[in-house]
Amino acid sequence: MNKKIWLSSPHMGGKEQVYVKEAFDTNWIAPLGPHVNGFENDLCQFTGVKSAAALSSGTAALHLALILCGVEAGDEVICQSFTFSASANPIVYQGATPVFVDSERDTWNMSPEHLRNAIKDRIKKGRKPKAIIPVHLYGMPAKMVEIAAIADDFEIPVIEDAAEAIGSAIDEKPCGSFGKMGILSFNGNKIITTSGGGALIADNNDYIVKARFLATQARDAAPHYQHSHIGYNYRMSNVCAAIGRGQMEVLTERIQQRRNNFDYYVQHLSGIEGVSFLQEPNGFFSNRWLTAILIDSGKTNGITRENVRLALEAENIESRPLWKPMHMQPVFAGTPFYGDETAAQLFENGLCLPSGSNLSTTDLNRVIQVIKAILE
């Protein structure tokens, strides 16, 4: 069997062990500690946002953001349909209902046109949404300037899901810094990882102070355990933060390596009839967390995305269909949806290719050879 080529595996930089050893040497093993503070400072410096809370996951960060926006049972929250379920699940944690909005072709992210239509229709029905969650899919920024303007028109806060987009930007303004709050993820398959973890970032420090309070079981200031609010065990450990500090030192390099992967795939596959890539709109910068292709079976003699995925799998190469839209998921059956099924078409035709920053040219060529063999 050929060596496994993973879709996106962790890639250590070398300094992680130094920081982790320091945590052990100083006995800062329990949650919180100096590396948590240091990691939060690193995130602020990189994103240009004033305050950050390091948490156990990006999902935890999104859940806290919804709480801070006052989302409660019976409310509605607008969410991008074309995304991973973690963008939508915390809405349900709060007893609220997701309202899904379709994507547009330029970025594959939330369509400003469908967003405006959704808001107007929900208000007409007496159901003004409490928040809007756009997602920067696969590292490609959403049209945040347009989305933010629409949100301002209706006075609805934006929670920016930048879980896949640390290092991405629009006109050099980092993703995660456009909304009222931003969400980051450091899951094992992300561009950098803390093994598991995430962060909530915001310019308003009050949000972060409240998030830290809620994330540490909402303990009141008292010598005994006293609680006036429902809290959560969402804080990042000092050991995980130590890994993150080492990863931050190589983040810029990891982004360039992912972008190099994208360029290499484009160079060798874009000439195949029926294969296309998502390009960056003017002023947009994608970290290219995952490189994805669209396969038009009408131009490939009937060869589909699934045929290509299975051919790669047979050669021990991991690939993955694009996210199945949330409005098509059984768990969200019956929820409101606004759009023209662009996301559904992308799901049907799209495939994520191996994109890790630790892939060699030999690895990339193996992937390319399999794709060419089935499509050419």
Side-chain angles (χ1 to χ4, degrees), residues 31-167:
L32 303 183
H35 285 316
V36 174
N37 298 334
F39 186 44
E40 289 173 346
N41 290 334
D42 293 342
L43 292 173
C44 289
Q45 290 181 19
F46 189 85
T47 62
V49 173
K50 294 178 181 177
S51 196
L55 303 166
S56 58
S57 67
T59 307
L62 183 51
H63 186 199
L64 293 177
L66 290 168
I67 294 171
L68 294 172
C69 285
V71 174
E72 299 176 339
D75 288 335
E76 292 187 348
V77 174
I78 289 182
C79 182
Q80 184 166 310
S81 180
F82 195 34
T83 184
F84 180 50
S85 63
S87 299
N89 286 340
I91 299 171
V92 182
Y93 298 169
Q94 287 303 101
T97 299
V99 174
F100 293 117
V101 168
D102 210 346
S103 294
E104 44 80 26
R105 290 281 176 179
D106 293 346
T107 67
W108 298 358
N109 295 317
M110 183 178 284
S111 161
E113 177 186 357
H114 295 316
L115 171 62
R116 184 178 290 277
N117 291 338
I119 295 171
K120 290 170 67 175
D121 190 59
R122 300 323 290 175
I123 291 175
K124 183 179 179 181
K125 289 178 167 61
R127 306 281 294 167
K128 181 180 177 181
K130 290 290 282 291
I132 301 168
I133 305 173
V135 186
H136 305 299
L137 208 65
Y138 305 119
M140 181 63 72
K143 292 183 175 178
M144 288 308 303
V145 174
E146 293 91 333
I147 290 170
I150 294 169
D152 287 345
D153 286 345
F154 293 96
E155 298 182 330
I156 302 173
V158 172
I159 301 170
E160 191 181 350
D161 187 340
E164 303 173 8
I166 188 169

Side-chain angles (χ1 to χ4, degrees), residues 18-314:
V18 174
Y19 287 110
V20 171
K21 183 177 185 300
E22 182 180 332
F24 274 79
D25 289 345
T26 57
N27 205 34
W28 280 104
I29 304 302
L32 303 183
H35 285 316
V36 174
N37 298 334
F39 186 44
E40 289 173 346
N41 290 334
D42 293 342
L43 292 173
C44 289
Q45 290 181 19
F46 189 85
T47 62
V49 173
K50 294 178 181 177
S51 196
L55 303 166
S56 58
S57 67
T59 307
L62 183 51
H63 186 199
L64 293 177
L66 290 168
I67 294 171
L68 294 172
C69 285
V71 174
E72 299 176 339
D75 288 335
E76 292 187 348
V77 174
I78 289 182
C79 182
Q80 184 166 310
S81 180
F82 195 34
T83 184
F84 180 50
S85 63
S87 299
N89 286 340
I91 299 171
V92 182
Y93 298 169
Q94 287 303 101
T97 299
V99 174
F100 293 117
V101 168
D102 210 346
S103 294
E104 44 80 26
R105 290 281 176 179
D106 293 346
T107 67
W108 298 358
N109 295 317
M110 183 178 284
S111 161
E113 177 186 357
H114 295 316
L115 171 62
R116 184 178 290 277
N117 291 338
I119 295 171
K120 290 170 67 175
D121 190 59
R122 300 323 290 175
I123 291 175
K124 183 179 179 181
K125 289 178 167 61
R127 306 281 294 167
K128 181 180 177 181
K130 290 290 282 291
I132 301 168
I133 305 173
V135 186
H136 305 299
L137 208 65
Y138 305 119
M140 181 63 72
K143 292 183 175 178
M144 288 308 303
V145 174
E146 293 91 333
I147 290 170
I150 294 169
D152 287 345
D153 286 345
F154 293 96
E155 298 182 330
I156 302 173
V158 172
I159 301 170
E160 191 181 350
D161 187 340
E164 303 173 8
I166 188 169
S168 300
I170 302 172
D171 293 327
E172 300 185 356
K173 181 174 173 60
C175 289
S177 69
F178 287 88
K180 184 173 185 177
M181 286 169 275
I183 309 302
L184 302 175
S185 173
F186 310 109
N187 191 33
N189 64 356
K190 295 300 189 295
I191 224 165
I192 59 169
T193 183
T194 56
S195 78
L200 181 68
I201 61 176
D203 279 328
N204 188 331
N205 186 58
D206 288 345
Y207 295 139
I208 302 305
V209 170
K210 291 176 183 176
R212 290 172 180 159
F213 169 71
L214 292 172
T216 49
Q217 299 289 17
R219 289 175 56 185
D220 293 338
H224 51 275
Y225 287 95
Q226 179 166 303
H227 306 272
S228 303
H229 303 271
I230 296 297
Y232 306 89
N233 187 16
Y234 279 171
R235 270 306 230 156
M236 181 180 286
S237 80
N238 195 56
V239 175
C240 288
I243 299 171
R245 297 202 71 188
Q247 289 276 276
M248 288 298 294
E249 294 188 9
V250 294
L251 176 53
T252 300
E253 179 183 348
R254 296 293 180 260
I255 292 168
Q256 188 57 55
Q257 289 165 324
R258 300 259 178 171
R259 287 177 62 83
N260 289 345
N261 289 342
F262 175 84
D263 291 341
Y264 198 81
Y265 281 129
V266 170
Q267 177 186 349
H268 292 276
L269 295 176
S270 61
I272 300 176
E273 184 74 13
V275 173
S276 62
F277 293 81
L278 179 63
Q279 299 297 330
E280 292 165 322
N282 187 40
F284 282 46
F285 179 88
S286 171
N287 65 18
R288 297 296 185 185
W289 170 53
L290 294 183
T291 292
I293 56 174
L294 294 179
I295 299 171
D296 183 350
S297 60
K299 299 179 180 178
T300 58
N301 295 319
I303 300 296
T304 67
R305 169 263 286 167
E306 188 62 6
N307 296 138
V308 175
R309 187 190 70 79
L310 291 173
L312 290 167
E313 184 177 76

